[in-house]
Amino acid sequence: MVEEHSIEEAPPAAEEAPPPEGLVPGAIPPILRALEDGEEGWESDYSTNDAPVRNAHYREKFGTSGEAFLVRVIAEAEDLDITFECEPGEFVLDAADRSGHELPFSCRSGGCLACSAKLLSGHAEMGEQYVLEDEHIEQRFFLLCCSTVSSDAVIRSHQEEWIP
Protein backbone atom coordinates (compact mmCIF):
# COMPACT_ATOMS: atom_id res chain seq x y z
CA MET A 1 0.00 0.00 0.00
CA VAL A 2 1.38 3.42 -0.96
CA GLU A 3 1.07 6.13 1.63
CA GLU A 4 -0.10 9.40 0.11
CA HIS A 5 0.56 12.83 1.54
CA SER A 6 -0.82 16.15 0.45
CA ILE A 7 1.17 19.33 0.79
CA GLU A 8 -0.71 20.21 3.94
CA GLU A 9 -0.15 16.77 5.47
CA ALA A 10 3.56 16.26 4.74
CA PRO A 11 5.21 13.54 6.80
CA PRO A 12 7.25 14.78 9.75
CA ALA A 13 10.84 15.71 8.92
CA ALA A 14 13.54 13.36 10.13
CA GLU A 15 15.53 14.66 13.07
CA GLU A 16 18.94 16.02 12.14
CA ALA A 17 21.83 14.02 13.53
CA PRO A 18 24.14 15.99 15.82
CA PRO A 19 27.55 16.85 14.30
CA PRO A 20 30.42 14.45 15.08
CA GLU A 21 32.14 15.11 18.38
CA GLY A 22 34.49 18.08 18.24
CA LEU A 23 32.91 19.66 15.15
CA VAL A 24 30.91 22.84 15.32
CA PRO A 25 28.24 23.35 12.63
CA GLY A 26 29.60 25.74 9.97
CA ALA A 27 33.22 25.41 11.18
CA ILE A 28 36.02 24.28 8.88
CA PRO A 29 36.88 20.61 9.54
CA PRO A 30 40.44 20.10 10.86
CA ILE A 31 41.70 18.33 7.74
CA LEU A 32 40.58 21.22 5.48
CA ARG A 33 42.05 23.79 7.86
CA ALA A 34 45.37 21.89 7.80
CA LEU A 35 45.31 21.79 3.98
CA GLU A 36 44.57 25.52 3.77
CA ASP A 37 47.39 26.30 6.22
CA GLY A 38 49.83 24.09 4.28
CA GLU A 39 50.48 21.95 7.33
CA GLU A 40 53.02 19.20 6.69
CA GLY A 41 51.73 15.66 6.63
CA TRP A 42 48.47 16.58 4.92
CA GLU A 43 48.27 16.02 1.19
CA SER A 44 45.46 16.51 -1.24
CA ASP A 45 44.74 15.28 -4.75
CA TYR A 46 42.71 18.46 -5.29
CA SER A 47 45.38 21.13 -5.51
CA THR A 48 44.23 24.19 -7.41
CA ASN A 49 47.37 23.88 -9.55
CA ASP A 50 46.53 20.34 -10.67
CA ALA A 51 43.33 21.09 -12.60
CA PRO A 52 43.51 20.12 -16.27
CA VAL A 53 43.90 23.12 -18.52
CA ARG A 54 41.44 21.77 -21.05
CA ASN A 55 38.04 22.03 -19.41
CA ALA A 56 34.90 24.08 -19.68
CA HIS A 57 36.01 26.53 -17.00
CA TYR A 58 39.43 27.50 -18.33
CA ARG A 59 40.04 27.89 -22.04
CA GLU A 60 43.09 29.60 -23.47
CA LYS A 61 42.11 32.62 -25.56
CA PHE A 62 43.62 32.84 -29.03
CA GLY A 63 44.07 35.93 -31.13
CA THR A 64 45.01 36.09 -34.78
CA SER A 65 48.61 35.24 -35.52
CA GLY A 66 48.59 35.33 -39.30
CA GLU A 67 49.49 31.61 -39.28
CA ALA A 68 45.95 30.26 -38.98
CA PHE A 69 44.61 27.35 -40.99
CA LEU A 70 41.29 27.45 -42.83
CA VAL A 71 38.80 24.92 -41.53
CA ARG A 72 35.66 24.10 -43.45
CA VAL A 73 32.95 22.26 -41.50
CA ILE A 74 30.07 20.64 -43.32
CA ALA A 75 27.01 18.67 -42.24
CA GLU A 76 24.56 18.10 -45.05
CA ALA A 77 21.64 16.98 -42.85
CA GLU A 78 21.93 20.20 -40.79
CA ASP A 79 22.43 22.38 -43.90
CA LEU A 80 25.79 23.45 -42.46
CA ASP A 81 28.73 24.69 -44.51
CA ILE A 82 30.99 27.12 -42.65
CA THR A 83 34.61 28.16 -42.93
CA PHE A 84 36.71 29.78 -40.21
CA GLU A 85 40.32 30.25 -39.16
CA CYS A 86 41.91 28.00 -36.56
CA GLU A 87 45.14 29.14 -34.94
CA PRO A 88 48.01 26.66 -34.42
CA GLY A 89 47.39 24.87 -31.12
CA GLU A 90 43.78 26.05 -30.86
CA PHE A 91 41.06 23.44 -30.50
CA VAL A 92 38.74 23.38 -33.51
CA LEU A 93 35.63 23.81 -31.35
CA ASP A 94 37.15 26.89 -29.70
CA ALA A 95 38.08 28.38 -33.07
CA ALA A 96 34.51 27.90 -34.28
CA ASP A 97 33.20 29.58 -31.12
CA ARG A 98 35.66 32.45 -31.50
CA SER A 99 34.48 32.91 -35.08
CA GLY A 100 30.83 33.06 -34.03
CA HIS A 101 29.84 29.59 -35.27
CA GLU A 102 27.92 27.11 -33.14
CA LEU A 103 28.90 23.47 -33.36
CA PRO A 104 27.53 20.69 -31.15
CA PHE A 105 29.32 20.01 -27.85
CA SER A 106 28.61 18.96 -24.31
CA CYS A 107 31.52 18.28 -21.96
CA ARG A 108 34.39 20.04 -23.78
CA SER A 109 36.84 17.58 -22.26
CA GLY A 110 36.87 14.51 -24.52
CA GLY A 111 34.41 12.57 -22.41
CA CYS A 112 31.40 12.38 -24.74
CA LEU A 113 30.64 12.11 -28.45
CA ALA A 114 28.59 15.30 -28.85
CA CYS A 115 31.32 17.11 -30.82
CA SER A 116 32.42 14.08 -32.85
CA ALA A 117 33.44 14.74 -36.42
CA LYS A 118 35.19 13.06 -39.33
CA LEU A 119 38.28 14.48 -40.99
CA LEU A 120 37.68 14.48 -44.75
CA SER A 121 40.93 16.20 -45.73
CA GLY A 122 43.89 17.81 -44.02
CA HIS A 123 45.74 16.93 -40.83
CA ALA A 124 44.46 16.98 -37.26
CA GLU A 125 45.90 15.90 -33.95
CA MET A 126 43.67 14.81 -31.13
CA GLY A 127 44.69 15.29 -27.51
CA GLU A 128 43.52 13.28 -24.53
CA GLN A 129 40.01 11.87 -24.92
CA TYR A 130 38.09 9.04 -23.34
CA VAL A 131 35.44 7.78 -25.75
CA LEU A 132 36.86 6.95 -29.17
CA GLU A 133 38.35 3.52 -29.78
CA ASP A 134 41.41 2.96 -32.01
CA GLU A 135 39.14 1.67 -34.78
CA HIS A 136 37.18 4.97 -34.75
CA ILE A 137 40.37 7.00 -34.97
CA GLU A 138 41.57 4.81 -37.87
CA GLN A 139 38.32 5.73 -39.64
CA ARG A 140 39.32 9.41 -39.13
CA PHE A 141 36.73 10.20 -36.45
CA PHE A 142 37.86 12.72 -33.87
CA LEU A 143 36.49 15.14 -31.26
CA LEU A 144 36.38 18.84 -32.07
CA CYS A 145 36.82 19.84 -28.41
CA CYS A 146 40.28 18.32 -28.02
CA SER A 147 41.72 18.40 -31.54
CA THR A 148 43.90 20.89 -33.35
CA VAL A 149 44.62 21.12 -37.07
CA SER A 150 48.08 21.43 -38.60
CA SER A 151 46.90 22.25 -42.13
CA ASP A 152 43.81 23.52 -43.88
CA ALA A 153 41.07 20.95 -43.28
CA VAL A 154 37.61 19.84 -44.31
CA ILE A 155 35.55 18.26 -41.54
CA ARG A 156 32.12 16.62 -41.41
CA SER A 157 30.53 17.41 -38.05
CA HIS A 158 27.47 15.95 -36.27
CA GLN A 159 28.89 12.40 -36.43
CA GLU A 160 27.80 11.08 -33.03
CA GLU A 161 25.27 8.63 -34.47
CA TRP A 162 27.72 7.37 -37.11
CA ILE A 163 30.40 6.16 -34.74
CA PRO A 164 29.98 2.38 -34.59
Side-chain angles (χ1 to χ4, degrees), residues 80 93 102-106 113-116 144 157-160:
L80 177 71
L93 183 61
E102 291 184 20
L103 294 174
F105 71 90
S106 181
L113 292 172
C115 68
S116 57
L144 296 173
S157 67
H158 296 75
Q159 293 297 292
E160 184 174 7

Side-chain angles (χ1 to χ4, degrees), residues 6-29:
S6 68
I7 294 175
E8 294 82 26
E9 299 177 287
E15 289 185 32
E16 284 189 30
E21 188 175 320
L23 288 184
V24 177
I28 298 173

